[in-house]
Amino acid sequence: MTREEDIKKAVEVLRKGGVILYPTDTVWGIGCDATNAEAVKRVYDIKQRDDSKALICLVDSDARMQRYFRNVPDVAWQLIDSLKGPDGETSGVVAGKPTTIILDGAINLAPNLIADDGSLGIRITYEPFSKELCYRFQKALVSTSANISGEPAAQNYCDIDPRIIEQVDYVCWSRRQEHKPHTPSSIIRLKANGEVTIIRG
């Protein structure tokens, strides 16, 4: 199966409200349409995770990210620009590891995806497969590590618990053969007043 076919199939499943397993710019992820509350609930159920713990979203561009917040503070754009490589496309490869930013005032998303304080963690992915997947889907994609809550994140496809594989609607073929270390993203909390907190380095 080509990458193009794999992405096309994954997008079809996402548009029908399905849940997928896919490789990201960090570890393998469980994904669904971030605007579909039923699909988001299924992700929480698969992970056996309390829905008071908000999930992260992936998007393919600055413009897409902007759709999901009332206001993106200037400090967030400065941080995003600082994470890009010299070509503007290699965040996490040249300029350090992929970084998730938590911002206030999340909108246009499934209510059960947003934290009680109205914040949401979001990351622009520059990894080719997940970036293309987000671009083709044209919406934010839930991206939570493919593991049962409390267990280690699945760095590679071979690390994913069979119980998770059995419960999703589609497992992407791309990058299944990989055997190399991957780590979760850094997480930075940005408040509207410019306050910055590093939650996970």
Side-chain angles (χ1 to χ4, degrees), residues 64 66 78 81 117 128 140 177:
R64 187 105 51 211
Q66 231 166 341
Q78 291 163 15
D81 286 342
D117 64 1
Q177 306 306 318

Side-chain angles (χ1 to χ4, degrees), residues 36-61:
N36 183 325
E38 280 299 309
V40 170
K41 183 182 183 304
R42 275 191 62 205
V43 172
Y44 280 117
D45 291 346
I46 289 168
K47 280 185 70 80
Q48 299 174 27
R49 181 171 172 170
D50 185 340
D51 68 5
S52 66
K53 294 181 179 177
L55 302 174
I56 288 169
C57 286
L58 274 191
V59 289
D60 63 311
S61 66

Side-chain angles (χ1 to χ4, degrees), residues 138-160:
Q138 296 281 297
K139 289 185 192 177
L141 193 59
V142 165
S143 180
T144 181
S145 54
N147 60 304
I148 304 293
S149 192
E151 294 183 2
Q155 295 186 36
N156 296 286
Y157 174 74
C158 59
D159 302 320
I160 301 173

